[in-house]
Amino acid sequence: MKTVSMSLAALGVAALVLAAPLSVRAQDDDDDHDRARDLYERGEIEGLADIMAIVRAKAPGEIVAIDLIRAGGKWIYRFQVVAADGRRRIIDVDAGAGGVLGGEGDHK
């Protein structure tokens, strides 16, 4: 019985350790969303729907991640796109002007 209790306790601790980074990431995502909404409402960045159309034209495939970062004094949307053949591309778009800044080529 003692072994079962210790195993359950260890499992509980492991679950807490694994869940902690997820809750931090969820908070980061909420902060990113709030920041993006505020920037959009102030007219500093373009809407995500418009930017996504640009990305889909440049790099067809499934958009699997989007980050809003600050680099070189600009807000940049960084997209990760997976093409039908499984190749992953990174596409950076100027969030204020809507122009594609570049991208990293095909990764598997």
Side-chain angles (χ1 to χ4, degrees), residues 17 19 22 51 54 56 58 67 78 82 100 103:
V17 169
L22 296 176
I51 300 293
I54 294 167
R56 285 192 174 107
K58 173 79 175 169
D67 292 309
R78 176 162 287 163
V82 176
V100 174

Side-chain angles (χ1 to χ4, degrees), residues 57-78:
K58 173 79 175 169
E62 182 179 353
I63 297 172
V64 296
I66 306 169
D67 292 309
L68 180 63
I69 61 173
R70 184 87 171 159
K74 296 180 181 182
W75 285 106
I76 299 184
Y77 283 117
R78 176 162 287 163

Side-chain angles (χ1 to χ4, degrees), residues 3-71:
T3 304
V4 171
S5 295
M6 290 180 67
S7 295
L8 289 174
L11 184 61
V13 170
L16 287 174
V17 169
L18 291 173
L22 296 176
S23 64
V24 169
R25 179 69 181 159
Q27 181 63 40
D28 287 346
D29 289 345
D30 289 344
D31 292 343
D32 287 347
H33 178 73
D34 292 340
R35 179 178 48 226
R37 185 182 60 238
D38 291 343
L39 291 166
Y40 174 74
E41 288 173 356
R42 290 194 311 251
E44 292 184 40
I45 64 173
E46 295 292 320
L48 189 55
D50 297 332
I51 300 293
M52 287 174 69
I54 294 167
V55 171
R56 285 192 174 107
K58 173 79 175 169
E62 182 179 353
I63 297 172
V64 296
I66 306 169
D67 292 309
L68 180 63
I69 61 173
R70 184 87 171 159

